[in-house]
Amino acid sequence: MLNENWYSIKKNAASVFEFLDMFWNFHDFRVFSIKYDASKNRIDLVLEYDSRTIRVLLRFEGCIDMNFCPAQDFEADWMFGATLCFDEINRFVWIADDECSTVDDLPRYITWIKGMELYYALVDKDDNPIEIPHCILNSDFGKKDWKTMNKHFSPTPSTSSLKPEKTYSLPMGTSISVSYQDLIKNYPPRFKNAVKADLYKMALDVHKDDQGDVRATQCWFNTECLKMKRCRSTQSK
């Protein structure tokens, strides 16, 4: 611990996985604020959990590089997880995506931050570091999944024993119906996140014999049209 309520992340796999595990791999978090202090060469990133009761401050020190990609709508900014690894000069690389497997050519449509050192703290509504509760500090959520570590310090991609036999090509604007059993047998999901793969297996044990159909429609949403509809809806009220 750096000082009261502040913690540092060591540059090794165990420290990285312990940090991600503590905050559920940042699933269902979103960016609350980003502050850059040029005089201190520092970036403070505050992430907020969807309950609005947990905020985590990540402090990146030294050799800063960042790409911020604002969300286009309210729902899109919730993260399904985050990646933490290192680049070629041993900087921490935090990426707001749990399926990003390379830091050589990071996409511009994902928020990411690089820094030589990384510290974190749980903070209150005024971003003041507070004590981390025992239930979070000693969380063992997904611990079994983090035992399979690779050189990028991210979970080993999961492979399913169910092999897809074919794929659907669904033209824009059309719909298709698929049976549950067809989806399970011929179109198993391919996870890069070990926690999601484990949850899928648990769900499959319960629903593996379900019958019925699921209907899917390929759509294209025009964000400008959606904005106009929201404006009209607001005016009509």
Side-chain angles (χ1 to χ4, degrees):
M1 190 166 70
L2 280 178
N3 47 49
E4 187 176 6
N5 299 328
W6 273 103
Y7 292 81
S8 64
I9 302 177
K10 298 178 182 178
K11 292 187 178 181
N12 59 59
S15 184
V16 166
F17 280 91
E18 180 181 2
F19 165 68
L20 291 175
D21 198 24
M22 185 185 305
F23 297 108
W24 320 297
N25 206 34
F26 290 105
H27 185 274
D28 287 337
F29 279 76
R30 67 173 167 184
V31 175
F32 182 79
S33 67
I34 298 180
K35 299 177 182 178
Y36 173 55
D37 189 332
S39 64
K40 297 179 180 178
N41 199 19
R42 169 189 296 169
I43 290 178
D44 280 353
L45 168 68
V46 177
L47 301 173
E48 183 180 60
Y49 190 52
D50 64 358
S51 65
R52 304 296 203 280
T53 59
I54 298 176
R55 286 185 186 172
V56 184
L57 169 58
L58 307 186
R59 173 163 289 177
F60 299 81
E61 300 272 12
C63 199
I64 296 297
D65 189 10
M66 180 183 71
N67 179 69
F68 175 61
C69 181
Q72 297 299 314
D73 59 71
F74 178 78
E75 295 295 337
D77 55 354
W78 293 106
M79 294 188 295
F80 292 101
T83 299
L84 182 62
C85 49
F86 304 110
D87 64 8
E88 70 281 356
I89 61 173
N90 208 31
R91 292 182 299 184
F92 284 101
V93 183
W94 181 88
I95 310 168
D97 187 290
D98 65 343
E99 296 188 350
C100 193
S101 59
T102 178
V103 297
D104 297 330
D105 187 21
L106 290 170
R108 305 302 297 181
Y109 56 83
I110 295 176
T111 296
W112 47 264
I113 304 176
K114 298 180 181 181
M116 291 304 298
E117 304 297 334
L118 178 55
Y119 309 103
Y120 67 93
L122 204 65
V123 295
D124 60 18
K125 61 182 179 62
D126 298 315
D127 292 346
N128 297 313
I130 59 177
E131 183 178 359
I132 300 179
H134 177 83
C135 61
I136 295 179
L137 191 60
N138 297 284
S139 171
D140 62 352
F141 175 81
K143 183 174 292 184
K144 60 182 180 299
D145 298 309
W146 307 132
K147 290 181 180 178
T148 54
M149 303 174 183
N150 60 24
K151 62 182 180 180
H152 295 296
F153 302 136
S154 58
T156 301
S158 171
T159 56
S160 172
S161 59
L162 300 175
K163 302 299 182 181
E165 297 177 352
K166 56 183 179 179
T167 58
Y168 279 124
S169 177
L170 189 60
M172 194 68 66
T174 60
S175 300
I176 195 168
S177 292
V178 187
S179 72
Y180 294 155
Q181 290 302 312
D182 192 16
L183 283 175
I184 292 172
K185 295 176 182 178
N186 297 320
Y187 308 97
R190 297 176 181 144
F191 295 101
K192 292 183 180 180
N193 183 288
V195 175
K196 293 179 182 178
D198 193 46
L199 292 174
Y200 174 75
K201 291 176 183 177
M202 293 170 60
L204 191 61
D205 287 339
V206 176
H207 300 285
K208 61 184 178 182
D209 297 320
D210 284 2
Q211 301 296 321
D213 296 326
V214 60
R215 187 172 183 82
T217 302
Q218 177 78 327
C219 300
W220 180 269
F221 291 100
N222 187 314
T223 56
E224 293 303 319
C225 290
L226 288 175
K227 290 178 182 177
M228 292 176 65
K229 289 179 181 179
R230 288 172 185 166
C231 292
R232 291 170 182 168
S233 176
T234 302
Q235 292 172 358
S236 65
K237 294 178 182 178

